[in-house]
Amino acid sequence: MPNRKPSDLVILITGATSGLGKALAEAAGRAGANLALCGRSRDKLDALLRELDAMAIPGKVYAEAFDATEASQVGAFVERTLAALGRIDVLVNCAGANTARGPVAGLTVGDLEAMMALNCLSPLAFIQACHPPMASRGGGLVVNILSTVCRFSNEGLGAYTASKTAFEGLVGVYRKEARKAGIRVSAVYPGGIDTPFRAQARPEYLRPEVAAEAILSLILLDPSLAPDELVIRPLVETNYA
Ligand SMILES: NC(=O)c1ccc[n+]([C@@H]2O[C@H](COP(=O)([O-])OP(=O)(O)OC[C@H]3O[C@@H](n4cnc5c(N)ncnc54)[C@H](OP(=O)(O)O)[C@@H]3O)[C@@H](O)[C@H]2O)c1
């Protein structure tokens, strides 16, 4: 039995057009939450909206497609979400990618900049846009999808790891600062999830629906509980202490 009623919540999910974010949008929508959804692809967003419509989800939905690395677009989307849905109770920073694979010795500045823009600066822009309205309402929850690459070094993933660990640093400091405003800040560290994140299917990894249920459970915990960190892995993974 969840501690919070999903229908009382407005949940903003970035990266809602694919993989984990899409599965979370479906699960939260099915549970009755009101949703603000964004992704990069207009076509994928339209397909998701048709799917949510066919599911006859009870809550309200506001959605836009845009490039989340453009901070002005992030701010405008948050403003329009507030106008459409009245408030944001939960921000889920889920959009992300690993498009700069290769050994550290061969990394270019461009590789690092691209990963930093999407995996660090973009979720920071969402935090900065959502913080004032959450603080003025006395609280909120910010769920940040990081990765177990923050815990273990993986060859070939230098730029992605640098961007995720840079954002992890900001999340840790923000958690302390935001607590005073009643805002709880979660760092979620997934291991492998079988999504389009990778070129090849990995059926032995977590199904996105299963990972999404874990994150929805975290969102629905009683607001007196601060779920600072959550590590979730498929059983096949062995890179843990
Ligand atoms: N899959 C894994 O094994 C794994 C493990 C650890 C952590 N993670 C993290 O989990 C999160 C979700 O990944 P996933 O596995 O669900 O990957 P995914 O299926 O590829 O989904 C990524 C999402 O991010 C969006 N996105 C990418 N670039 C964008 C941009 N410039 N502007 C706006 N949206 C953008 C995509 O939008 P479009 O589809 O519309 O382009 C998509 O909705 C990421 O932060 C990832 O780093 C994944």
Side-chain angles (χ1 to χ4, degrees):
M1 187 72 169
N3 290 300
R4 304 186 81 181
K5 266 176 62 187
S7 56
D8 290 342
L9 298 177
V10 174
I11 305 177
L12 189 163
I13 303 170
T14 76
T17 43
S18 179
L20 179 59
K22 179 169 180 282
L24 181 60
E26 292 161 349
R30 201 177 299 112
N34 303 289
L35 303 173
L37 307 175
C38 59
R40 182 176 41 182
S41 154
R42 179 77 249 174
D43 288 350
K44 287 196 214 169
L45 187 66
D46 286 344
L48 173 63
L49 294 176
R50 282 195 297 276
E51 196 184 309
L52 293 173
D53 203 39
M55 286 162 62
I57 63 164
K60 293 182 194 155
V61 180
Y62 180 74
E64 285 186 30
F66 58 92
D67 185 339
T69 62
E70 291 183 26
S72 63
Q73 299 243 43
V74 171
F77 171 68
V78 168
E79 282 302 317
R80 287 191 285 267
T81 294
L82 291 167
L85 302 179
R87 64 186 197 282
I88 296 165
D89 301 293
V90 182
L91 163 64
V92 183
N93 266 324
C94 188
N98 177 13
T99 48
R101 289 166 189 266
V104 170
L107 281 186
T108 65
V109 171
D111 290 334
L112 274 170
E113 282 176 347
M115 290 294 86
M116 287 296 292
L118 179 59
N119 296 325
C120 182
L121 300 178
S122 173
L124 173 63
F126 274 96
I127 287 175
Q128 291 178 334
C130 291
H131 181 91
M134 282 184 177
S136 70
R137 294 189 77 252
L141 173 66
V142 179
V143 180
N144 301 288
I145 307 302
L146 300 174
S147 166
T148 49
V149 299
C150 297
R151 301 281 171 101
F152 295 92
S153 301
N154 291 284
E155 288 166 72
L157 303 187
Y160 177 70
T161 301
S163 65
K164 287 286 188 183
T165 54
F167 185 50
E168 181 190 37
L170 291 173
V171 165
V173 174
Y174 177 58
R175 178 181 297 127
K176 286 197 170 180
E177 295 167 349
R179 204 84 121 212
K180 301 175 187 78
I183 298 171
R184 298 169 297 141
V185 179
S186 294
V188 176
Y189 299 86
I193 311 172
D194 186 19
T195 71
F197 182 77
R198 279 184 209 78
Q200 265 124 29
R202 298 296 296 262
E204 72 278 25
Y205 281 179
L206 290 173
R207 286 190 296 118
E209 295 77 14
V210 171
E213 282 299 338
I215 294 161
L216 182 59
S217 302
L218 180 154
I219 289 171
L220 298 179
L221 290 169
D222 190 272
S224 66
L225 188 155
D228 292 343
E229 296 188 1
L230 175 68
V231 183
I232 47 173
R233 291 193 167 84
L235 281 171
V236 292
E237 270 180 10
T238 52
N239 58 350
Y240 53 85

Short mmCIF file of all heavy atoms in Angstrom, two decimals, residues 14-23 38-45 65-70 93-98 117-119 122 126 144-149 160 164 188-198 205-206 208 232 237, ligand 1:
data_model
loop_
_atom_site.label_atom_id
_atom_site.label_comp_id
_atom_site.label_asym_id
_atom_site.label_seq_id
_atom_site.Cartn_x
_atom_site.Cartn_y
_atom_site.Cartn_z
N THR A 14 11.66 13.57 -17.40
CA THR A 14 12.44 13.84 -18.61
C THR A 14 12.83 12.50 -19.23
O THR A 14 12.89 11.48 -18.54
CB THR A 14 13.70 14.68 -18.31
OG1 THR A 14 14.70 13.85 -17.70
CG2 THR A 14 13.40 15.86 -17.39
N GLY A 15 13.08 12.50 -20.53
CA GLY A 15 13.42 11.24 -21.19
C GLY A 15 12.26 10.26 -21.17
O GLY A 15 12.45 9.05 -21.08
N ALA A 16 11.03 10.81 -21.30
CA ALA A 16 9.83 9.97 -21.17
C ALA A 16 9.49 9.23 -22.47
O ALA A 16 8.53 8.46 -22.49
CB ALA A 16 8.64 10.83 -20.73
N THR A 17 10.24 9.47 -23.53
CA THR A 17 9.88 8.89 -24.83
C THR A 17 10.49 7.51 -25.07
O THR A 17 10.23 6.90 -26.11
CB THR A 17 10.34 9.84 -25.96
OG1 THR A 17 11.65 10.32 -25.65
CG2 THR A 17 9.39 11.00 -26.11
N SER A 18 11.30 7.01 -24.13
CA SER A 18 11.98 5.73 -24.38
C SER A 18 12.38 5.09 -23.06
O SER A 18 12.51 5.77 -22.03
CB SER A 18 13.23 5.99 -25.24
OG SER A 18 13.93 4.79 -25.49
N GLY A 19 12.59 3.79 -23.11
CA GLY A 19 13.24 3.06 -22.03
C GLY A 19 12.64 3.28 -20.65
O GLY A 19 11.43 3.14 -20.44
N LEU A 20 13.52 3.61 -19.71
CA LEU A 20 13.12 3.74 -18.30
C LEU A 20 12.09 4.86 -18.10
O LEU A 20 11.10 4.68 -17.38
CB LEU A 20 14.37 4.01 -17.46
CG LEU A 20 14.15 4.20 -15.96
CD1 LEU A 20 13.49 2.98 -15.33
CD2 LEU A 20 15.49 4.50 -15.27
N GLY A 21 12.32 6.03 -18.72
CA GLY A 21 11.40 7.15 -18.53
C GLY A 21 10.01 6.83 -19.06
O GLY A 21 9.00 7.18 -18.45
N LYS A 22 9.95 6.14 -20.20
CA LYS A 22 8.66 5.76 -20.80
C LYS A 22 7.94 4.77 -19.88
O LYS A 22 6.74 4.91 -19.62
CB LYS A 22 8.91 5.16 -22.18
CG LYS A 22 7.66 4.70 -22.91
CD LYS A 22 8.01 4.37 -24.36
CE LYS A 22 6.82 3.90 -25.16
NZ LYS A 22 6.45 2.51 -24.89
N ALA A 23 8.69 3.78 -19.39
CA ALA A 23 8.08 2.79 -18.50
C ALA A 23 7.58 3.45 -17.21
O ALA A 23 6.53 3.09 -16.68
CB ALA A 23 9.10 1.69 -18.17
N CYS A 38 8.47 14.92 -21.16
CA CYS A 38 9.23 15.49 -22.28
C CYS A 38 10.24 14.48 -22.79
O CYS A 38 10.67 13.57 -22.08
CB CYS A 38 9.89 16.81 -21.90
SG CYS A 38 11.05 16.72 -20.53
N GLY A 39 10.58 14.66 -24.07
CA GLY A 39 11.59 13.84 -24.73
C GLY A 39 12.05 14.63 -25.93
O GLY A 39 11.59 15.75 -26.16
N ARG A 40 12.97 14.05 -26.70
CA ARG A 40 13.52 14.80 -27.83
C ARG A 40 12.68 14.59 -29.09
O ARG A 40 12.45 15.51 -29.85
CB ARG A 40 14.96 14.34 -28.05
CG ARG A 40 15.69 15.03 -29.16
CD ARG A 40 17.12 14.54 -29.17
NE ARG A 40 17.20 13.09 -28.94
CZ ARG A 40 18.31 12.41 -28.87
NH1 ARG A 40 19.46 13.03 -29.00
NH2 ARG A 40 18.29 11.11 -28.67
N SER A 41 12.20 13.34 -29.29
CA SER A 41 11.53 12.98 -30.53
C SER A 41 10.02 13.27 -30.46
O SER A 41 9.32 12.72 -29.60
CB SER A 41 11.76 11.49 -30.81
OG SER A 41 10.73 10.97 -31.59
N ARG A 42 9.54 14.11 -31.38
CA ARG A 42 8.10 14.44 -31.45
C ARG A 42 7.30 13.17 -31.76
O ARG A 42 6.25 12.92 -31.17
CB ARG A 42 7.91 15.49 -32.55
CG ARG A 42 6.51 15.96 -32.82
CD ARG A 42 6.04 16.94 -31.77
NE ARG A 42 4.98 16.35 -30.96
CZ ARG A 42 4.46 16.94 -29.89
NH1 ARG A 42 4.89 18.09 -29.48
NH2 ARG A 42 3.50 16.37 -29.20
N ASP A 43 7.83 12.35 -32.69
CA ASP A 43 7.08 11.14 -33.09
C ASP A 43 6.94 10.17 -31.92
O ASP A 43 5.86 9.62 -31.68
CB ASP A 43 7.80 10.42 -34.24
CG ASP A 43 7.67 11.19 -35.55
OD1 ASP A 43 6.87 12.15 -35.60
OD2 ASP A 43 8.38 10.83 -36.50
N LYS A 44 8.03 9.98 -31.17
CA LYS A 44 7.96 9.05 -30.03
C LYS A 44 7.05 9.60 -28.95
O LYS A 44 6.33 8.84 -28.29
CB LYS A 44 9.36 8.82 -29.45
CG LYS A 44 10.27 7.96 -30.32
CD LYS A 44 11.43 7.52 -29.45
CE LYS A 44 12.70 7.39 -30.20
NZ LYS A 44 13.87 7.22 -29.33
N LEU A 45 7.07 10.92 -28.77
CA LEU A 45 6.20 11.52 -27.75
C LEU A 45 4.74 11.34 -28.15
O LEU A 45 3.90 10.97 -27.32
CB LEU A 45 6.53 13.00 -27.57
CG LEU A 45 5.80 13.68 -26.40
CD1 LEU A 45 6.25 13.11 -25.06
CD2 LEU A 45 6.03 15.18 -26.42
N ALA A 65 7.98 18.07 -26.80
CA ALA A 65 9.23 17.51 -27.33
C ALA A 65 10.20 18.66 -27.60
O ALA A 65 9.84 19.64 -28.25
CB ALA A 65 8.95 16.75 -28.63
N PHE A 66 11.41 18.54 -27.07
CA PHE A 66 12.44 19.56 -27.31
C PHE A 66 13.80 18.98 -26.91
O PHE A 66 13.88 17.92 -26.27
CB PHE A 66 12.15 20.84 -26.50
CG PHE A 66 12.06 20.64 -25.02
CD1 PHE A 66 13.18 20.80 -24.20
CD2 PHE A 66 10.86 20.28 -24.42
CE1 PHE A 66 13.10 20.61 -22.84
CE2 PHE A 66 10.78 20.08 -23.04
CZ PHE A 66 11.90 20.26 -22.25
N ASP A 67 14.85 19.71 -27.29
CA ASP A 67 16.21 19.28 -26.95
C ASP A 67 16.51 19.76 -25.54
O ASP A 67 16.63 20.97 -25.28
CB ASP A 67 17.20 19.88 -27.96
CG ASP A 67 18.61 19.37 -27.73
OD1 ASP A 67 18.93 18.90 -26.63
OD2 ASP A 67 19.42 19.43 -28.68
N ALA A 68 16.66 18.80 -24.63
CA ALA A 68 16.83 19.13 -23.21
C ALA A 68 18.19 19.73 -22.88
O ALA A 68 18.44 20.12 -21.74
CB ALA A 68 16.59 17.88 -22.36
N THR A 69 19.09 19.78 -23.89
CA THR A 69 20.38 20.43 -23.61
C THR A 69 20.29 21.94 -23.79
O THR A 69 21.27 22.65 -23.57
CB THR A 69 21.50 19.87 -24.52
OG1 THR A 69 21.17 20.14 -25.89
CG2 THR A 69 21.68 18.38 -24.32
N GLU A 70 19.11 22.43 -24.21
CA GLU A 70 18.93 23.89 -24.35
C GLU A 70 18.22 24.41 -23.11
O GLU A 70 17.01 24.20 -22.92
CB GLU A 70 18.14 24.20 -25.62
CG GLU A 70 18.97 23.89 -26.87
CD GLU A 70 18.24 24.27 -28.16
OE1 GLU A 70 17.38 25.15 -28.13
OE2 GLU A 70 18.56 23.63 -29.17
N ASN A 93 14.71 13.32 -13.22
CA ASN A 93 15.74 13.59 -14.22
C ASN A 93 16.20 12.27 -14.80
O ASN A 93 17.06 11.60 -14.24
CB ASN A 93 16.92 14.32 -13.57
CG ASN A 93 16.82 15.81 -13.68
OD1 ASN A 93 16.35 16.35 -14.69
ND2 ASN A 93 17.26 16.50 -12.64
N CYS A 94 15.57 11.87 -15.93
CA CYS A 94 15.86 10.54 -16.50
C CYS A 94 16.54 10.61 -17.87
O CYS A 94 17.26 9.70 -18.24
CB CYS A 94 14.56 9.75 -16.60
SG CYS A 94 14.78 8.03 -17.06
N ALA A 95 16.34 11.70 -18.62
CA ALA A 95 16.95 11.78 -19.96
C ALA A 95 18.46 11.61 -19.85
O ALA A 95 19.09 12.13 -18.93
CB ALA A 95 16.62 13.13 -20.61
N GLY A 96 19.02 10.87 -20.77
CA GLY A 96 20.47 10.66 -20.75
C GLY A 96 20.87 9.75 -21.88
O GLY A 96 20.02 9.12 -22.52
N ALA A 97 22.15 9.71 -22.16
CA ALA A 97 22.66 8.84 -23.22
C ALA A 97 24.15 8.64 -23.02
O ALA A 97 24.81 9.39 -22.29
CB ALA A 97 22.39 9.47 -24.60
N ASN A 98 24.64 7.59 -23.67
CA ASN A 98 26.08 7.33 -23.69
C ASN A 98 26.49 7.18 -25.15
O ASN A 98 26.53 6.09 -25.69
CB ASN A 98 26.40 6.06 -22.91
CG ASN A 98 27.88 5.72 -22.98
OD1 ASN A 98 28.68 6.56 -23.40
ND2 ASN A 98 28.23 4.51 -22.59
N ALA A 117 26.80 18.08 -21.45
CA ALA A 117 25.60 18.87 -21.78
C ALA A 117 24.33 18.08 -21.46
O ALA A 117 23.38 18.61 -20.88
CB ALA A 117 25.62 19.26 -23.26
N LEU A 118 24.31 16.79 -21.84
CA LEU A 118 23.08 16.01 -21.67
C LEU A 118 22.96 15.40 -20.27
O LEU A 118 21.87 15.40 -19.68
CB LEU A 118 23.04 14.88 -22.72
CG LEU A 118 21.81 13.97 -22.65
CD1 LEU A 118 20.51 14.77 -22.82
CD2 LEU A 118 21.90 12.87 -23.69
N ASN A 119 24.04 14.87 -19.72
CA ASN A 119 23.95 14.08 -18.49
C ASN A 119 24.22 14.89 -17.22
O ASN A 119 24.00 14.40 -16.12
CB ASN A 119 24.92 12.90 -18.55
CG ASN A 119 24.58 11.92 -19.67
OD1 ASN A 119 23.41 11.70 -19.96
ND2 ASN A 119 25.60 11.35 -20.30
N SER A 122 22.04 19.54 -18.38
CA SER A 122 20.59 19.52 -18.63
C SER A 122 19.79 19.17 -17.36
O SER A 122 18.87 19.91 -17.00
CB SER A 122 20.25 18.54 -19.76
OG SER A 122 18.86 18.41 -19.88
N PHE A 126 17.00 21.49 -15.17
CA PHE A 126 15.66 21.09 -14.67
C PHE A 126 15.57 21.34 -13.16
O PHE A 126 14.54 21.81 -12.65
CB PHE A 126 15.38 19.62 -15.00
CG PHE A 126 14.80 19.42 -16.37
CD1 PHE A 126 15.61 19.09 -17.44
CD2 PHE A 126 13.45 19.59 -16.60
CE1 PHE A 126 15.08 18.92 -18.72
CE2 PHE A 126 12.90 19.43 -17.86
CZ PHE A 126 13.72 19.09 -18.93
N ASN A 144 17.03 11.68 -9.36
CA ASN A 144 18.06 11.81 -10.40
C ASN A 144 18.55 10.42 -10.80
O ASN A 144 19.09 9.69 -9.95
CB ASN A 144 19.21 12.66 -9.88
CG ASN A 144 18.74 14.03 -9.47
OD1 ASN A 144 18.41 14.86 -10.32
ND2 ASN A 144 18.64 14.27 -8.16
N ILE A 145 18.38 10.08 -12.08
CA ILE A 145 18.83 8.77 -12.55
C ILE A 145 20.30 8.90 -12.91
O ILE A 145 20.66 9.49 -13.94
CB ILE A 145 17.99 8.28 -13.76
CG1 ILE A 145 16.48 8.33 -13.45
CG2 ILE A 145 18.44 6.87 -14.15
CD1 ILE A 145 16.03 7.53 -12.25
N LEU A 146 21.14 8.34 -12.06
CA LEU A 146 22.59 8.35 -12.30
C LEU A 146 22.95 7.00 -12.94
O LEU A 146 22.30 6.58 -13.88
CB LEU A 146 23.32 8.61 -10.98
CG LEU A 146 22.96 9.97 -10.33
CD1 LEU A 146 23.60 10.08 -8.95
CD2 LEU A 146 23.42 11.12 -11.21
N SER A 147 23.90 6.29 -12.42
CA SER A 147 24.29 5.00 -12.98
C SER A 147 25.29 4.35 -12.04
O SER A 147 26.01 5.06 -11.31
CB SER A 147 24.96 5.20 -14.36
OG SER A 147 25.61 4.01 -14.77
N THR A 148 25.38 3.04 -12.08
CA THR A 148 26.41 2.37 -11.28
C THR A 148 27.82 2.67 -11.82
O THR A 148 28.79 2.33 -11.16
CB THR A 148 26.19 0.84 -11.21
OG1 THR A 148 25.97 0.34 -12.53
CG2 THR A 148 25.03 0.48 -10.32
N VAL A 149 27.93 3.36 -12.96
CA VAL A 149 29.27 3.80 -13.38
C VAL A 149 29.84 4.81 -12.37
O VAL A 149 31.05 5.03 -12.35
CB VAL A 149 29.32 4.43 -14.80
CG1 VAL A 149 28.88 3.44 -15.86
CG2 VAL A 149 28.54 5.73 -14.89
N TYR A 160 31.07 9.28 -20.47
CA TYR A 160 29.78 9.06 -19.81
C TYR A 160 29.97 9.05 -18.29
O TYR A 160 29.22 9.71 -17.55
CB TYR A 160 29.20 7.73 -20.30
CG TYR A 160 27.89 7.31 -19.66
CD1 TYR A 160 26.71 7.99 -19.94
CD2 TYR A 160 27.84 6.20 -18.81
CE1 TYR A 160 25.50 7.57 -19.38
CE2 TYR A 160 26.64 5.79 -18.25
CZ TYR A 160 25.47 6.48 -18.54
OH TYR A 160 24.28 6.07 -17.97
N LYS A 164 28.28 11.62 -15.51
CA LYS A 164 27.39 11.13 -14.45
C LYS A 164 27.97 11.43 -13.07
O LYS A 164 27.24 11.79 -12.15
CB LYS A 164 27.12 9.63 -14.62
CG LYS A 164 26.20 9.27 -15.77
CD LYS A 164 24.74 9.61 -15.47
CE LYS A 164 23.78 9.10 -16.53
NZ LYS A 164 22.37 9.48 -16.30
N VAL A 188 19.52 7.77 -7.89
CA VAL A 188 19.23 6.38 -8.24
C VAL A 188 20.36 5.88 -9.14
O VAL A 188 20.71 6.53 -10.13
CB VAL A 188 17.87 6.25 -8.97
CG1 VAL A 188 17.63 4.81 -9.41
CG2 VAL A 188 16.74 6.74 -8.06
N TYR A 189 20.91 4.73 -8.76
CA TYR A 189 22.06 4.16 -9.48
C TYR A 189 21.62 2.84 -10.13
O TYR A 189 21.70 1.79 -9.50
CB TYR A 189 23.21 3.88 -8.52
CG TYR A 189 23.74 5.10 -7.80
CD1 TYR A 189 23.15 5.54 -6.61
CD2 TYR A 189 24.84 5.79 -8.29
CE1 TYR A 189 23.65 6.65 -5.95
CE2 TYR A 189 25.34 6.90 -7.63
CZ TYR A 189 24.74 7.33 -6.46
OH TYR A 189 25.22 8.44 -5.82
N PRO A 190 21.15 2.90 -11.40
CA PRO A 190 20.81 1.63 -12.03
C PRO A 190 22.05 0.94 -12.60
O PRO A 190 22.97 1.60 -13.09
CB PRO A 190 19.87 2.03 -13.18
CG PRO A 190 19.60 3.49 -13.02
CD PRO A 190 20.75 4.05 -12.23
N GLY A 191 22.02 -0.38 -12.53
CA GLY A 191 22.94 -1.17 -13.34
C GLY A 191 22.28 -1.34 -14.70
O GLY A 191 21.51 -0.49 -15.13
N GLY A 192 22.52 -2.46 -15.35
CA GLY A 192 22.02 -2.64 -16.71
C GLY A 192 20.49 -2.75 -16.79
O GLY A 192 19.88 -3.52 -16.05
N ILE A 193 19.91 -1.96 -17.68
CA ILE A 193 18.48 -2.05 -17.99
C ILE A 193 18.38 -2.29 -19.50
O ILE A 193 19.12 -1.67 -20.27
CB ILE A 193 17.72 -0.75 -17.63
CG1 ILE A 193 18.06 -0.29 -16.21
CG2 ILE A 193 16.21 -0.95 -17.75
CD1 ILE A 193 17.49 1.10 -15.87
N ASP A 194 17.48 -3.17 -19.89
CA ASP A 194 17.37 -3.55 -21.31
C ASP A 194 16.51 -2.52 -22.06
O ASP A 194 15.31 -2.68 -22.19
CB ASP A 194 16.76 -4.95 -21.41
CG ASP A 194 16.75 -5.46 -22.83
OD1 ASP A 194 17.50 -4.92 -23.68
OD2 ASP A 194 15.96 -6.39 -23.11
N THR A 195 17.16 -1.45 -22.51
CA THR A 195 16.47 -0.34 -23.20
C THR A 195 17.23 0.00 -24.49
O THR A 195 18.36 -0.47 -24.69
CB THR A 195 16.45 0.94 -22.33
OG1 THR A 195 17.79 1.47 -22.30
CG2 THR A 195 15.95 0.67 -20.93
N PRO A 196 16.68 0.89 -25.32
CA PRO A 196 17.41 1.32 -26.53
C PRO A 196 18.67 2.12 -26.23
O PRO A 196 19.36 2.55 -27.17
CB PRO A 196 16.37 2.19 -27.26
CG PRO A 196 15.05 1.74 -26.74
CD PRO A 196 15.29 1.35 -25.31
N PHE A 197 18.99 2.35 -24.97
CA PHE A 197 20.24 2.98 -24.54
C PHE A 197 21.45 2.33 -25.22
O PHE A 197 22.43 2.99 -25.54
CB PHE A 197 20.32 2.81 -23.02
CG PHE A 197 21.49 3.42 -22.33
CD1 PHE A 197 21.53 4.79 -22.09
CD2 PHE A 197 22.54 2.64 -21.87
CE1 PHE A 197 22.60 5.35 -21.42
CE2 PHE A 197 23.61 3.20 -21.20
CZ PHE A 197 23.63 4.56 -20.98
N ARG A 198 21.35 1.00 -25.38
CA ARG A 198 22.43 0.27 -26.07
C ARG A 198 21.96 -0.18 -27.44
O ARG A 198 20.77 -0.38 -27.64
CB ARG A 198 22.79 -0.99 -25.27
CG ARG A 198 23.69 -0.72 -24.14
CD ARG A 198 24.08 -2.00 -23.44
NE ARG A 198 24.33 -1.66 -22.06
CZ ARG A 198 23.39 -1.47 -21.19
NH1 ARG A 198 22.13 -1.66 -21.50
NH2 ARG A 198 23.68 -1.11 -19.96
N TYR A 205 19.38 -8.24 -18.64
CA TYR A 205 19.35 -7.04 -17.80
C TYR A 205 17.93 -6.79 -17.29
O TYR A 205 16.98 -7.48 -17.67
CB TYR A 205 19.86 -5.83 -18.60
CG TYR A 205 21.36 -5.76 -18.73
CD1 TYR A 205 21.96 -4.74 -19.45
CD2 TYR A 205 22.19 -6.69 -18.12
CE1 TYR A 205 23.33 -4.64 -19.57
CE2 TYR A 205 23.58 -6.60 -18.24
CZ TYR A 205 24.14 -5.58 -18.97
OH TYR A 205 25.50 -5.49 -19.07
N LEU A 206 17.79 -5.77 -16.45
CA LEU A 206 16.47 -5.45 -15.89
C LEU A 206 15.52 -5.01 -17.00
O LEU A 206 15.92 -4.26 -17.90
CB LEU A 206 16.59 -4.29 -14.90
CG LEU A 206 17.29 -4.58 -13.57
CD1 LEU A 206 17.47 -3.28 -12.79
CD2 LEU A 206 16.48 -5.58 -12.75
N PRO A 208 12.78 -2.55 -18.27
CA PRO A 208 12.51 -1.18 -17.85
C PRO A 208 11.28 -1.06 -16.95
O PRO A 208 11.25 -0.23 -16.03
CB PRO A 208 12.34 -0.41 -19.16
CG PRO A 208 12.28 -1.43 -20.25
CD PRO A 208 12.89 -2.68 -19.74
N ILE A 232 20.02 -0.19 -7.99
CA ILE A 232 19.24 -1.33 -8.52
C ILE A 232 20.00 -1.98 -9.65
O ILE A 232 20.48 -1.31 -10.56
CB ILE A 232 17.82 -0.90 -8.99
CG1 ILE A 232 17.87 0.37 -9.87
CG2 ILE A 232 16.89 -0.71 -7.82
CD1 ILE A 232 16.54 0.73 -10.50
N GLU A 237 24.62 -9.07 -12.71
CA GLU A 237 25.78 -8.18 -12.56
C GLU A 237 26.62 -8.55 -11.34
O GLU A 237 26.08 -8.90 -10.29
CB GLU A 237 25.32 -6.72 -12.46
CG GLU A 237 25.25 -6.07 -13.82
CD GLU A 237 24.80 -4.62 -13.77
OE1 GLU A 237 24.71 -4.05 -12.67
OE2 GLU A 237 24.55 -4.08 -14.84
N1 LIG B 1 19.85 1.39 -19.77
C1 LIG B 1 20.78 1.23 -18.86
O1 LIG B 1 21.40 0.16 -18.76
C2 LIG B 1 21.11 2.35 -17.91
C3 LIG B 1 21.96 2.06 -16.83
C4 LIG B 1 22.28 3.06 -15.93
C5 LIG B 1 21.74 4.32 -16.09
N2 LIG B 1 20.92 4.58 -17.15
C6 LIG B 1 20.38 5.93 -17.27
O2 LIG B 1 18.96 5.83 -17.29
C7 LIG B 1 18.43 6.96 -17.99
C8 LIG B 1 17.41 6.48 -19.02
O3 LIG B 1 18.10 5.71 -20.00
P1 LIG B 1 17.37 4.58 -20.87
O4 LIG B 1 18.10 3.34 -20.63
O5 LIG B 1 15.90 4.62 -20.65
O6 LIG B 1 17.76 5.10 -22.33
P2 LIG B 1 16.89 5.38 -23.63
O7 LIG B 1 15.87 4.31 -23.83
O8 LIG B 1 17.86 5.63 -24.72
O9 LIG B 1 16.11 6.75 -23.28
C9 LIG B 1 16.80 7.97 -23.17
C10 LIG B 1 15.81 9.12 -23.09
O10 LIG B 1 16.54 10.36 -23.04
C11 LIG B 1 16.02 11.23 -24.04
N3 LIG B 1 17.04 12.13 -24.57
C12 LIG B 1 18.27 11.82 -25.03
N4 LIG B 1 18.89 12.92 -25.49
C13 LIG B 1 18.01 13.95 -25.34
C14 LIG B 1 18.05 15.34 -25.62
N5 LIG B 1 19.13 15.93 -26.17
N6 LIG B 1 16.97 16.09 -25.31
C15 LIG B 1 15.87 15.54 -24.77
N7 LIG B 1 15.77 14.22 -24.46
C16 LIG B 1 16.84 13.45 -24.75
C17 LIG B 1 15.53 10.31 -25.14
O11 LIG B 1 14.62 11.02 -25.96
P3 LIG B 1 14.28 10.48 -27.49
O12 LIG B 1 14.07 9.00 -27.37
O13 LIG B 1 13.01 11.23 -27.78
O14 LIG B 1 15.44 10.83 -28.34
C18 LIG B 1 14.90 9.20 -24.32
O15 LIG B 1 13.60 9.57 -23.92
C19 LIG B 1 19.64 7.70 -18.59
O16 LIG B 1 19.96 8.82 -17.77
C20 LIG B 1 20.75 6.67 -18.53
O17 LIG B 1 22.02 7.27 -18.43
C21 LIG B 1 20.59 3.63 -18.07
#
